[in-house]
Amino acid sequence: MNTQSAAAIVALADRGISTLPPLGLVLGSGLGGLADEAEDAVVVPYADIPGFPVPSVVGHSGRLVVGKLAGKRVALFQGRGHYYERGDPREMFTAIEAFSRLGGRTLFLTNAAGGLHADWPPPALAAIVDHINFAGANPLIGLATDKRFVPLTEAYDRALLATLKGAARVAEVELREGVYMWFSGPSFETPAEIRAAKILGADLVGMSTVPEVLIARYFGLRVVACSLVTNFAAGLSGGDPSHEETQAVAARGSRQFRALLKAFIALHDQTIG
Ligand code: HPA
C-alpha cells in the first residue's frame, strides 16, 4: 500500500470511518448536489485526508460523504482532481486505493462531457461503454508490479451497464451509450480534433474519468460510468464551449442525472459489489 493511502485510512478511522460501502460514486461537474441529499451522512473534506485531491475547479467541492441514498449506504466522492490541475494523472489514486482497501467494490464515475452527435441535445445522458486515452497519460506508469499490466477489454462492466440501463427505464430518462475520448484539457478541443475524434470512434469528449478507470481496474474494482453531455463539442455548433456553459447546463441536467443515479443505487446488488 502506498504510504499516502495508509495515512488516508488512519485519517478516516479518526473520523469514525473504518469501512466504506461496496458502492462509491465520483460526482463530477454540477453533480455534487447529490451528496447533499445523503441521509445520516458523515462528511470529511478531502483537505483533511492525506493524498486526497484538493480540487481547484469551480463545481468540485472536494468532500467525501458517506451516507444513505435510495435506502443504501454509499460513498460519495464530491468532486475530483483532474490531470490538468497539476499534470499528475494520479490525482485520484489515493482516494480510489483507500476506497478499495476499506471495502469498495464498484466505482460509478460521472462527468460532464462534450457530445459529438447533433441528435444528442444537451443536457443528454450517455453511459460510457469504452474509452480512448487520447491524453496519453497513464496513472499506472511507475508502479513496480506486474499488476500494472491491467487488461481493459471489459473496463466498463457489462452487468453494471445492464443495471444502469434498467435504472434509466425506472427513472424514465433517456440514456444514450458512447465511447469517451480523454483529452488532457484544460483548453477545449479544436474543431479539427473533434473531427479526428469522430473518425476515431468517439461519441463523447472530456477531461477526466479515464485515469480513474485505470486506477479502479488496477485495484480490481468494477467500473460503471456515465456522462452528462453539457454542450456540442467544438465546431459542431455556432458557439464556443466554456466552463460556465458546462456548469449551467450540468445544473439543468442534474435532476435527471440524480434520478438515474438513485435508481441505479436502488437496483445495484450490494452482495455482488
Ligand atoms: N470538451 C471537453 N470536456 C468537456 C466538454 C468539452 O466539450 N464539455 C464538458 N466537458
Side-chain angles (χ1 to χ4, degrees):
M1 193 183 338
N2 90 52
T3 48
Q4 291 272 49
S5 304
I9 287 170
V10 170
L12 289 172
D14 286 347
R15 300 297 193 104
I17 299 173
S18 53
T19 62
L20 285 170
L23 178 60
L25 295 95
V26 177
L27 304 174
S29 286
L31 297 167
L34 185 68
D36 301 329
E37 292 183 39
E39 292 165 14
D40 303 326
V42 180
V43 179
V44 188
Y46 288 172
D48 295 349
I49 317 174
F52 274 48
V54 178
S56 63
V57 185
V58 174
H60 286 259
S61 23
R63 308 190 308 166
L64 173 63
V65 177
V66 184
K68 269 193 176 179
L69 274 178
K72 288 187 184 158
R73 206 170 155 255
V74 291
L76 302 166
F77 295 87
Q78 194 179 22
R80 56 158 55 88
H82 302 80
Y83 176 49
Y84 63 70
E85 290 178 72
R86 278 162 281 262
D88 182 0
R90 287 198 218 180
E91 285 278 330
M92 294 294 286
F93 195 92
T94 300
I96 296 171
E97 178 167 19
F99 172 63
S100 152
R101 303 237 179 237
L102 294 178
R105 294 288 168 268
T106 295
L107 194 59
F108 195 135
L109 301 166
T110 69
N111 61 40
L116 269 63
H117 295 285
D119 58 348
W120 292 14
L125 293 169
I128 300 177
V129 297
D130 204 344
H131 74 231
I132 300 170
N133 182 348
F134 198 66
N138 194 309
L140 308 183
I141 289 175
L143 299 176
T145 151
D146 281 357
K147 262 182 65 189
R148 67 187 146 184
F149 301 114
V150 174
L152 296 174
T153 329
E154 253 187 58
Y156 300 84
D157 191 279
R158 272 195 209 156
L160 294 176
L161 179 62
T163 304
L164 184 58
K165 289 192 205 174
R169 284 191 292 275
V170 171
E172 296 182 341
V173 302
E174 194 174 356
L175 182 67
R176 273 102 172 167
E177 287 175 41
V179 171
Y180 178 92
M181 192 167 200
W182 179 35
F183 284 81
S184 75
S187 48
F188 284 96
E189 299 74 30
T190 64
E193 284 166 346
I194 293 304
R195 287 194 297 277
K198 197 150 202 175
I199 291 166
L200 292 175
D203 303 288
L204 303 153
V205 291
M207 306 177 194
S208 69
T209 304
V210 167
E212 294 150 40
V213 172
L214 303 181
I215 297 163
R217 293 304 298 145
Y218 174 78
F219 286 112
L221 298 170
R222 299 168 75 206
V223 169
V224 55
C226 189
S227 290
L228 174 56
V229 178
T230 53
N231 57 281
F232 293 110
L236 296 186
S237 71
D240 264 343
S242 71
H243 187 59
E244 293 67 36
E245 177 187 43
T246 299
Q247 295 284 113
V249 180
R252 275 204 281 128
S254 96
R255 201 179 50 81
Q256 282 206 326
F257 209 165
R258 288 184 200 199
L260 175 66
L261 294 177
K262 283 188 273 187
F264 178 89
I265 294 166
L267 287 177
H268 178 253
D269 181 353
Q270 306 251 3
T271 57
I272 58 161

